[in-house]
Amino acid sequence: KNEVEQSPQNLTAQEGEFITINCSYSVGISALHWLQQHPGGGIVSLFMLSSGKKKHGRLIATINIQEKHSSLHITASHPRDSAVYICAVRPYGGSQGNLIFGKGTKLSVKP
Amino acid sequence: DGGITQSPKYLFRKEGQNVTLSCEQNLNHDAMYWYRQDPGQGLRLIYYSQIVNDFQKGDIAEGYSVSREKKESFPLTVTSAQKNPTAFYLCASSMRIQRYEQYFGPGTRLTVT
């Protein structure tokens, strides 16, 4: 069983739609990261959170520590949001360098 | 501009050859990391370094080696002992080893034939 599960694996949306990507994890964590990987391969860190909610522009990330679940929301989606979104967690007690990564959600936003 | 650079973007090698991937950062970060990405899988940690002249194995260190002689540089050597070296390799850095965001480089796609 993967320690970090993302859903859906693939998502196609029309421009303007509200999008939700989910991340569930099975270990105790000290932080959760949302990352964006563009088609060229480069990765950008979107959020790092350990509780509650963070917002940056049209992106909102929430986390429920008790339920071991996080969501990434995109409001008013745009074709430039097309990318792979990756959830990663930092487990308690793990080796200091280690994040555990989900396999990613591939988002395609059609104009 | 501050950031992480990896070179080259694409690299081709023959089986049995060692190859070194470059990673440089000018963010003044202490910690640096190397990840491997394969299709359909999450990123996996190869090696990480908390500080100059120190580095630790990650989950899949076999067949790889690193050095950290300078704060700015963390090169990764893919040796001929690595059974499946063809992959996308990402370098990252963070201010310290824990509780900090990681900043990623653009990646190097290595193909070994």
Side-chain angles (χ1 to χ4, degrees):
Chain A
K1 181 183 184 298
N2 292 325
E3 291 171 295
V4 179
E5 296 273 4
Q6 289 186 235
S7 62
Q9 287 187 323
N10 294 282
L11 182 56
T12 299
Q14 287 298 127
E15 184 173 355
E17 285 184 2
F18 181 84
I19 288 163
T20 296
I21 299 170
N22 296 299
C23 175
S24 296
Y25 52 92
S26 57
V27 297
I29 68 168
S30 57
L32 182 143
H33 300 250
W34 280 104
L35 310 168
Q36 180 190 54
Q37 185 170 30
H38 286 283
I43 291 180
V44 174
S45 177
L46 299 175
F47 296 103
M48 183 178 71
L49 64 166
S50 55
S51 64
K53 177 179 174 177
K54 286 191 175 181
K55 184 176 189 292
H56 185 254
R58 294 180 294 106
L59 302 178
I60 303 166
T62 64
I63 188 168
N64 185 319
I65 294 294
Q66 287 73 29
E67 295 186 3
K68 292 187 167 64
H69 182 269
S70 175
S71 293
L72 177 69
H73 305 287
I74 304 175
T75 62
S77 60
H78 190 276
R80 64 174 175 267
D81 297 324
S82 299
V84 176
Y85 292 85
I86 300 170
C87 172
V89 301
R90 183 180 299 285
Y92 281 126
S95 64
Q96 290 188 1
N98 222 355
L99 291 175
I100 304 174
F101 292 82
K103 294 181 180 181
T105 294
K106 185 174 182 180
L107 172 65
S108 178
V109 181
K110 305 294 185 187
Chain B
D1 282 4
I4 302 177
T5 57
Q6 290 184 245
S7 60
K9 179 77 172 170
Y10 300 95
L11 191 53
F12 299 88
R13 280 294 183 271
K14 295 289 187 185
E15 197 174 319
Q17 293 180 333
N18 291 355
V19 59
T20 297
L21 281 58
S22 165
C23 177
E24 304 278 331
Q25 55 98 0
N26 61 3
L27 299 167
N28 200 33
H29 286 170
D30 283 334
M32 296 187 74
Y33 314 79
W34 273 106
Y35 294 97
R36 171 183 172 135
Q37 187 177 39
D38 294 283
Q41 294 196 40
L43 276 71
R44 292 180 290 168
L45 182 67
I46 305 172
Y47 268 98
Y48 65 97
S49 168
Q50 297 186 60
I51 201 163
V52 175
N53 293 322
D54 175 77
F55 48 83
Q56 305 294 330
K57 293 182 179 180
D59 296 324
I60 55 166
E62 186 175 348
Y64 299 98
S65 66
V66 293
S67 62
R68 187 88 187 275
E69 297 176 2
K70 298 187 299 182
K71 187 175 186 177
E72 302 80 18
S73 179
F74 191 40
L76 173 75
T77 297
V78 184
T79 75
S80 56
Q82 168 50 233
K83 300 300 181 191
N84 297 295
T86 294
F88 188 58
Y89 291 88
L90 285 152
C91 177
S93 72
S94 64
M95 194 179 301
R96 300 282 189 275
I97 198 72
Q98 287 185 329
R99 300 195 309 277
Y100 292 93
E101 280 185 88
Q102 292 189 17
Y103 293 79
F104 288 82
T108 292
R109 190 166 300 277
L110 173 64
T111 302
V112 177
T113 56

